[in-house]
Amino acid sequence: MESPPWVLMVVLLGTLGVIHLVQAQGQQGFISLDCGLPATERSPYDEPKTGLRFSSDENFIQSGKTGQVRANPGEYLKPYETLRYFPDGFRNCYNLNVEKGRKHLVRAWFIYGNYDGLGINPKFDLYLGPNPWTTIDLQIRVNGTRAEILHIPTSNSLQICLVKTGTTTPLISSLEIRPMGNGTYITKSGSLNLFARIYLKDSDTYIRYPSDIYDRLWTSYFMKEWTQISTTHEGSSSNIYVPPKGVLATAATPTNSTAPLTIEWSSSNVNDQYYLYVHFAEIQELQTNSTREFNVVWDGETSDPIVPAKYKIDTLFRRLPSTCKGGECSLELRRTNRSTLPPLLNALEIYTVTEFPQSETNETDVVAVQNIKAAYRISKISWQGDPCVPQQFMWDRLNCSNTDMSTPPRITYLNLSSSGITGTIAAAIQNLTQLEILDLSNNNFTGEVPAFLGNMESLVFINISWNDLNGSIPQALRRKGLDLFNQGNPRLCLSGSCLPPKPKPFPVVIVASVASVAIIIIAVLILVFVFRKKKPSTVGALQGPPSISPAVNVTYDNSSVSSIQSSKRRFTYSEVTNMTNNFQRVVGEGGFGIVYHGTLNGYEQVAVKVLSQSSTQGYKQFKAEVDLLMRVHHANLVSLVGYCGEGNHLALIYEFVPNGDLRQHLSGKGGRSIINWGIRLRIALEAALGLEYLHSGCIPAMIHRDVKTTNILLDEQFKAKLADFGLSRSFPVGGESHVSTMIAGTPGYLDPEYYRTSRLTEKSDVYSFGIVLLEMITNEPVIDQARTKTHITQWVGFELNSGDISSIMDPNLHGEYDSRSAWRALELAMSCANPSSTRRPSMSRVVVKLKECLVSENSRRNISRGTDSQSSGEVSMVIDTGMFPKAR
Ligand SMILES: *[C@@H]1O[C@H](CO)[C@@H](O)[C@H](O)[C@H]1NC(C)=O
Ligand SMILES: *[C@@H]1O[C@H](CO)[C@@H](O)[C@H](O)[C@H]1NC(C)=O
Ligand SMILES: *[C@@H]1O[C@H](CO)[C@@H](O)[C@H](O)[C@H]1NC(C)=O
Ligand SMILES: *[C@@H]1O[C@H](CO)[C@@H](O)[C@H](O)[C@H]1NC(C)=O
Ligand SMILES: *[C@@H]1O[C@H](CO)[C@@H](O)[C@H](O)[C@H]1NC(C)=O
Ligand SMILES: *[C@@H]1O[C@H](CO)[C@@H](O)[C@H](O)[C@H]1NC(C)=O
Ligand SMILES: *[C@@H]1O[C@H](CO)[C@@H](O)[C@H](O)[C@H]1NC(C)=O
Ligand SMILES: *[C@@H]1O[C@H](CO)[C@@H](O)[C@H](O)[C@H]1NC(C)=O
Ligand SMILES: *[C@@H]1O[C@H](CO)[C@@H](O)[C@H](O)[C@H]1NC(C)=O
């Protein structure tokens, strides 16, 4: 057996790589994505320089927009010229199929190239699955950068996520995944993040596929203290690291033949742990009386003497990682006394260890929830990447058991209520074996209730109410310890003897059903009560988790229990009289009636709006709209609990929101506190989320038509809830209930374009929202005849000319705001209030912008966090050299 000279390293350093020949495998298993390339456009294609087959990324990600570099066109290889960027959401993920347990080279390219013409280089984080991988800072790497890691996926899907960390928009140019050979680049723990991969050639070139069968990218590097040596010899079999032939062809030796060959760099972090792979081969014809022998000195450890093998690359490495003392790293090749020739080096790879401590969610759960997502075509921006972790990116309406990082989290809670879903209950649900709570209510589920639900042992609560299920309830679902809510499924057979589906002529039902409604209510209350007693903590979890990332520090209370929802119903007039204690306490006066305080079931506070009889355009339409509204649920919308429609008596019963409206809190009227800028931004964001939900989360979409500060209610935690939406089609809204014109809305907030054209779109709400924002910023009246600039938009527009934000901001804020966030909010408000509806942003865009404002304001409050280390600039010495494969 032939053993390379540095076998002795085993004794000294405990390291040894086994030497084999590995056969090249073409591009098998390669994933090469040209991000931002439209799938219709010549995809896949063979990149001419490398022969690599690139394809569009469209099938691997559900979000993002596409762009194209503008600066230096033709500078980069074609795959790096288009890009995908992510203006929406905080985490956007690619989902790729890989071979679990196999080492992969994962490489991502990021080239800004001024694709948006704004000249703002972004900075953001890159995650692998639930774990942070690296930060991409294109403000330092202005010409672009790449991230590369040798990683062993723990499941068959690899998720690569771009995470927004500031206000800039993440982007990606290309993704390249290469399966690696077995037995190479082994670490004690963690994955190998590429720091540098160089071959010593005095030119500006690079080597990659097809020369390198794994498509590692070797960049040329040379120092003036060195002398270049080269060969045209082909070389023979090489080791399992399979260095490409081009690496064998050239080497460097120190020009001063007695000096060592030294490579130095600074560690950006003193605790970085390094793995080095040193590649060398003798490529000169030696005289019989001459010898080349040297020691490798690294981290204070000297290797045994090494004599490079002739035309055959050996790879030297250590099995354990090392750190650089004081952050100064130095690799030295020193000739021994015996040696007549200076040391020689062909190539070097430097990696740092990146740990990935957080386990991914159990793969069975992930596959199941992906199948559910696909079956119901759920396309939420938060439903990307790992469902459970990291916690701040947990999928909306999901909860997980999350004991410790090393245990894969399991999905315990799934809430698909009010999601407009049609179809049968998906079989994939049964694979969520740790699921405790399942809420499918308020959808259009059809078909039978599957028996597997009863066999899911962890399940303690199922809500399938208000769907269109049929058949009978399987026996298995009647087991002890499982609470089932199934009301509102007219075709569902509750007992053995089933009646044909009931027709629903409303006036008959109202008389006949008072008794049965009461029975149902009692049953529901008992269930709720029992359930509460048994599982106090999980009842709170019935409220879906907030749809917004906690990264912006918006917190929600879980206090309001779903009982108020599950008992929603029709009330008789006498119940309404009782509930309001004979209309004793007036809490407000809305657009179409007086609002009274009421109490439901003796403890639940409600607001009862008694509609003035002239306001309705017919009972049938009233009923249709109420049915629709009862299905709308969002944390930032005031929920409709029930209604009364008895003869002339029409009333709506709403969730009670105790803390007044936003107008009061801006003016300090009614003894209300004046809220600070941070809270204002949060309230604006929450109101925007409610509105966005009406526009894009509801089926059919709803236009509020009367967005104004008095319609934004606040609870004890100052959480905002939009009131008075949805009735607009049968009621004239606003304070102008006597006006019979078709145009509805409140003066000042009313979209001028809508007023002119009578064409109502979501953008009319955006306009009103812009006015609300201006009011929150300035605390000026929307219309003030005493001002020369009567309307608030005119006033702000005029004041803006001064360029001084403090003359615009509400003086009650006493200057306590981040002026960048104030400017941003002001710009946003003005763009919302643009006279032309096509120039106004969508509410989704408004949400994104407000989140950015909030982040900016919150960072002002966290100034103590200190400044980031910028020391990574030094590092670029090695890695940035000719790093970009040029097209030319
Ligand atoms: C970016 O590229 C330009 C032109 O090629 C070059 O002048 C500049 O030094 C580069 N900047 C960095 C940070 O590499
Ligand atoms: C790698 O080696 C391990 C055992 O050494 C083996 O189980 C596995 O199948 C190998 N994988 C590949 C891709 O060859
Ligand atoms: C060559 O290197 C040796 C050892 O590092 C040093 O002592 C000597 O001065 C160097 N010679 C020149 C000409 O730089
Ligand atoms: C080695 O041998 C050659 C001739 O064969 C001679 O010219 C050279 O000086 C020798 N070198 C050493 C270091 O002895
Ligand atoms: C090499 O030289 C060093 C110092 O010059 C000396 O300590 C060492 O013993 C020498 N080694 C051999 C093998 O001659
Ligand atoms: C994931 O869950 C399934 C089903 O309960 C179980 O069989 C499997 O062992 C779990 N996997 C891991 C990695 O815990
Ligand atoms: C449910 O389905 C019915 C009939 O297909 C349809 O009229 C109704 O609008 C649907 N409701 C929802 C919320 O999708
Ligand atoms: C449940 O998971 C198993 C593998 O874990 C899979 O074979 C099966 O098809 C899944 N069932 C459903 C209904 O998705
Ligand atoms: C999720 O579950 C944990 C316990 O497993 C609980 O502490 C937490 O409040 C839940 N979160 C939500 C939003 O329901």
Side-chain angles (χ1 to χ4, degrees):
M1 200 190 93
E2 190 191 300
S3 42
W6 42 273
V7 163
L8 291 173
M9 301 272 298
V10 180
V11 179
L12 199 90
L13 301 171
T15 67
L16 167 66
V18 190
I19 304 283
H20 290 293
L21 175 72
V22 174
Q23 213 49 54
Q25 292 261 316
Q27 293 184 40
Q28 199 174 11
F30 279 25
I31 299 174
S32 309
L33 300 184
D34 179 345
C35 301
L37 180 78
T40 49
E41 199 180 290
R42 223 162 56 78
S43 167
Y45 64 89
D46 291 329
E47 196 286 311
K49 202 149 185 253
T50 57
L52 286 166
R53 171 155 291 203
F54 278 86
S55 51
S56 160
D57 63 338
E58 255 174 36
N59 296 331
F60 303 92
I61 188 146
Q62 66 182 59
S63 53
K65 297 181 172 157
T66 61
Q68 171 115 27
V69 297
R70 292 200 205 175
N72 311 324
E75 174 86 3
Y76 306 106
L77 288 189
K78 175 170 161 53
Y80 311 136
E81 295 223 305
T82 56
L83 55 94
R84 183 173 292 273
Y85 64 100
F86 302 95
D88 299 319
F90 281 87
R91 177 175 71 165
N92 289 272
C93 299
Y94 282 86
N95 199 349
L96 306 167
N97 290 331
V98 292
E99 188 184 328
K100 173 179 178 169
R102 177 160 190 181
K103 181 165 283 123
H104 288 76
L105 182 154
V106 180
R107 178 164 55 214
W109 297 85
F110 308 90
I111 295 150
Y112 169 63
N114 200 21
Y115 73 89
D116 53 3
L118 297 174
I120 302 169
N121 287 57
K123 180 178 175 181
F124 52 91
D125 280 351
L126 202 58
Y127 277 59
L128 269 190
N131 287 288
W133 165 12
T134 186
T135 295
I136 302 299
D137 188 348
L138 297 175
Q139 289 158 11
I140 292 175
R141 307 291 170 90
V142 293
N143 290 339
T145 190
R146 73 181 201 260
E148 184 173 327
I149 198 162
L150 297 171
H151 180 67
I152 302 177
T154 55
S155 72
N156 285 324
S157 75
L158 178 67
Q159 284 160 341
I160 299 168
C161 303
L162 291 90
V163 172
K164 199 166 194 168
T165 52
T167 57
T168 53
T169 303
L171 64 85
I172 185 165
S173 306
S174 173
L175 255 178
E176 297 162 355
I177 317 289
R178 317 290 183 226
M180 298 292 289
N182 234 349
T184 55
Y185 301 107
I186 291 167
T187 60
K188 193 161 149 274
S189 74
S191 299
L192 292 178
N193 197 44
L194 180 69
F195 181 85
R197 185 184 296 117
I198 54 175
Y199 73 112
L200 306 195
K201 184 171 186 187
D202 194 4
S203 70
D204 186 14
T205 54
Y206 63 92
I207 296 174
R208 66 181 293 185
Y209 189 84
S211 304
D212 189 313
I213 58 161
Y214 296 127
D215 193 25
R216 284 164 298 192
L217 203 150
W218 306 77
T219 50
S220 59
Y221 181 69
F222 213 76
M223 286 172 68
K224 61 180 188 314
E225 295 85 1
W226 299 343
T227 299
Q228 177 89 74
I229 55 176
S230 60
T231 181
T232 53
H233 197 288
E234 276 283 286
S236 62
S237 69
S238 76
N239 69 50
I240 51 165
Y241 285 87
V242 207
K245 290 216 161 69
V247 161
L248 178 93
T250 59
T253 60
T255 307
N256 175 348
S257 68
T258 58
L261 188 149
T262 308
I263 293 182
E264 289 175 322
W265 68 96
S266 301
S267 200
S268 52
N269 181 342
V270 283
N271 296 320
D272 277 348
Q273 298 209 297
Y274 285 91
Y275 280 95
L276 263 51
Y277 297 85
V278 186
H279 307 278
F280 43 78
E282 182 57 75
I283 58 167
Q284 282 183 319
E285 287 295 336
L286 302 190
Q287 308 282 337
T288 47
N289 58 357
S290 57
T291 348
R292 188 185 318 271
E293 189 185 72
F294 56 89
N295 305 110
V296 173
V297 184
W298 162 241
D299 183 34
E301 299 253 22
T302 308
S303 73
D304 276 4
I306 288 161
V307 176
K310 205 153 197 193
Y311 301 120
K312 186 164 165 279
I313 291 215
D314 284 331
T315 299
L316 177 77
F317 59 92
R318 295 183 55 184
R319 280 210 200 285
L320 296 177
S322 27
T323 53
C324 300
K325 291 212 173 55
E328 294 304 316
C329 311
S330 166
L331 174 76
E332 267 186 18
L333 276 58
R334 288 187 196 149
R335 66 187 283 177
T336 62
N337 309 7
R338 253 167 47 76
S339 182
T340 61
L341 292 167
L344 146 164
L345 179 65
N346 294 67
L348 172 67
E349 291 172 86
I350 307 173
Y351 296 91
T352 55
V353 176
T354 301
E355 298 287 351
F356 291 117
Q358 172 66 60
S359 302
E360 291 173 13
T361 300
N362 178 298
E363 197 174 357
T364 312
D365 280 8
V366 172
V367 170
V369 80
Q370 294 280 15
N371 287 341
I372 294 167
K373 176 179 158 183
Y376 300 133
R377 296 199 184 81
I378 299 172
S379 122
K380 285 166 177 278
I381 205 139
S382 82
W383 278 39
Q384 297 189 57
D386 193 290
C388 297
V389 276
Q391 214 141 21
Q392 73 264 30
F393 300 125
M394 194 196 305
W395 289 9
D396 176 24
R397 292 166 148 242
L398 207 77
N399 201 358
C400 305
S401 67
N402 206 351
T403 40
D404 61 275
M405 281 192 156
S406 57
T407 312
R410 303 296 306 261
I411 295 172
T412 57
Y413 167 84
L414 178 64
N415 179 355
L416 296 176
S417 68
S418 306
S419 301
I421 296 173
T422 57
T424 57
I425 296 179
I429 290 176
Q430 67 187 296
N431 270 359
L432 296 174
T433 53
Q434 299 284 308
L435 195 66
E436 292 166 9
I437 297 176
L438 176 63
D439 191 344
L440 305 175
S441 62
N442 286 297
N443 284 298
N444 249 356
F445 280 108
T446 49
E448 303 204 350
V449 180
F452 66 71
L453 291 175
N455 302 328
M456 294 172 65
E457 285 169 11
S458 302
L459 263 185
V460 294
F461 179 87
I462 305 179
N463 190 350
I464 50 171
S465 50
W466 309 106
N467 280 296
D468 196 15
L469 295 163
N470 61 29
S472 56
I473 302 219
Q475 204 49 44
L477 269 156
R478 303 192 185 277
R479 71 171 160 82
K480 236 175 129 219
L482 175 60
D483 289 320
L484 173 69
F485 282 69
N486 57 19
Q487 68 270 36
N489 287 286
R491 299 195 291 144
L492 194 61
C493 170
L494 299 176
S495 61
S497 59
C498 284
L499 302 166
K502 270 187 282 179
K504 297 195 274 179
F506 181 71
V508 182
V509 175
I510 202 166
V511 179
S513 67
V514 173
S516 53
V517 165
I519 288 167
I520 291 171
I521 291 164
I522 290 168
V524 167
L525 286 177
I526 289 172
L527 273 177
V528 166
F529 186 68
V530 167
F531 182 65
R532 277 184 139 187
K533 280 208 119 161
K534 234 172 20 200
K535 302 267 310 176
S537 60
T538 43
V539 172
L542 281 177
Q543 278 260 318
S547 65
I548 160 183
S549 150
V552 221
N553 265 336
V554 179
T555 52
Y556 293 103
D557 60 315
N558 292 340
S559 61
S560 62
V561 177
S562 70
S563 61
I564 198 163
Q565 289 183 12
S566 48
S567 60
K568 78 177 56 138
R569 59 205 162 119
R570 183 187 313 138
F571 293 87
T572 63
Y573 187 65
S574 70
E575 280 175 303
V576 172
T577 317
N578 269 340
M579 175 185 315
T580 56
N581 203 1
N582 210 5
F583 306 104
Q584 200 175 37
R585 192 177 137 203
V586 175
V587 288
E589 190 159 356
F592 20 82
I594 296 177
V595 185
Y596 299 91
H597 181 264
T599 311
L600 196 58
N601 313 325
Y603 63 94
E604 212 93 64
Q605 294 196 87
V606 289
V608 180
K609 175 173 285 184
V610 177
L611 304 168
S612 55
Q613 282 155 26
S614 62
S615 57
T616 172
Q617 295 175 354
Y619 184 76
K620 247 179 148 168
Q621 195 168 0
F622 167 75
K623 171 75 169 62
E625 291 203 8
V626 165
D627 281 346
L628 193 63
L629 289 183
M630 298 255 267
R631 288 173 173 256
V632 176
H633 294 290
H634 187 273
N636 304 112
L637 297 173
V638 175
S639 322
L640 186 60
V641 179
Y643 67 96
C644 165
E646 212 180 80
N648 283 338
H649 298 298
L650 300 182
L652 295 171
I653 295 130
Y654 288 101
E655 155 190 25
F656 182 69
V657 186
N659 203 6
D661 65 50
L662 177 58
R663 180 73 250 153
Q664 294 171 323
H665 284 276
L666 292 175
S667 63
K669 283 217 183 85
R672 301 298 187 187
S673 59
I674 288 176
I675 48 184
N676 70 29
W677 179 241
I679 294 178
R680 284 187 203 192
L681 282 177
R682 208 197 55 193
I683 289 171
L685 172 58
E686 289 170 345
L689 284 167
L691 212 45
E692 183 199 23
Y693 183 77
L694 288 178
H695 291 179
S696 31
C698 282
I699 303 167
M702 284 189 196
I703 299 174
H704 188 297
R705 299 223 273 184
D706 200 16
V707 176
K708 54 184 176 181
T709 41
T710 49
N711 268 342
I712 296 173
L713 306 185
L714 302 173
D715 73 3
E716 295 97 331
Q717 277 82 40
F718 291 99
K719 175 168 145 185
K721 284 172 181 277
L722 272 179
D724 260 0
F725 53 91
L727 286 172
S728 34
R729 277 174 304 177
S730 47
F731 299 91
V733 293
E736 311 293 288
S737 54
H738 59 281
V739 177
S740 60
T741 158
M742 289 296 292
I743 305 290
T746 303
Y749 294 94
L750 184 62
D751 172 12
E753 189 174 293
Y754 166 47
Y755 186 79
R756 234 183 20 255
T757 63
S758 299
R759 251 203 339 265
L760 186 67
T761 68
E762 283 90 346
K763 290 291 177 73
S764 298
D765 280 350
V766 175
Y767 179 88
S768 312
F769 185 80
I771 305 300
V772 166
L773 257 185
L774 287 177
E775 236 183 312
M776 296 175 82
I777 294 166
T778 61
N779 193 26
E780 282 284 318
V782 175
I783 292 179
D784 184 355
Q785 302 294 352
R787 262 190 327 231
T788 42
K789 307 288 174 195
T790 317
H791 193 258
I792 192 164
T793 52
Q794 299 166 325
W795 181 82
V796 170
F798 179 75
E799 292 290 326
L800 267 176
N801 293 335
S802 74
D804 176 14
I805 190 123
S806 61
S807 70
I808 295 173
M809 297 296 286
D810 179 2
N812 290 329
L813 292 170
H814 304 293
E816 284 180 14
Y817 47 82
D818 170 55
S819 64
R820 271 182 315 161
S821 77
W823 272 116
R824 282 208 182 116
L826 193 58
E827 276 167 20
L828 179 64
M830 290 303 270
S831 71
C832 289
N834 194 299
S836 160
S837 63
T838 52
R839 296 192 165 188
R840 296 173 203 151
S842 68
M843 280 317 293
S844 310
R845 188 80 200 134
V846 171
V847 164
V848 170
K849 289 283 168 196
L850 283 169
K851 281 180 184 169
E852 290 174 6
C853 291
L854 199 51
V855 167
S856 171
E857 170 67 12
N858 285 344
S859 63
R860 177 184 75 92
R861 289 150 180 271
N862 299 339
I863 28 180
S864 59
R865 278 183 56 223
T867 52
D868 283 354
S869 154
Q870 298 278 324
S871 55
S872 47
E874 284 251 22
V875 170
S876 60
M877 169 204 87
V878 172
I879 197 167
D880 264 3
T881 309
M883 190 196 109
F884 276 98
K886 299 281 196 314
R888 295 180 253 117

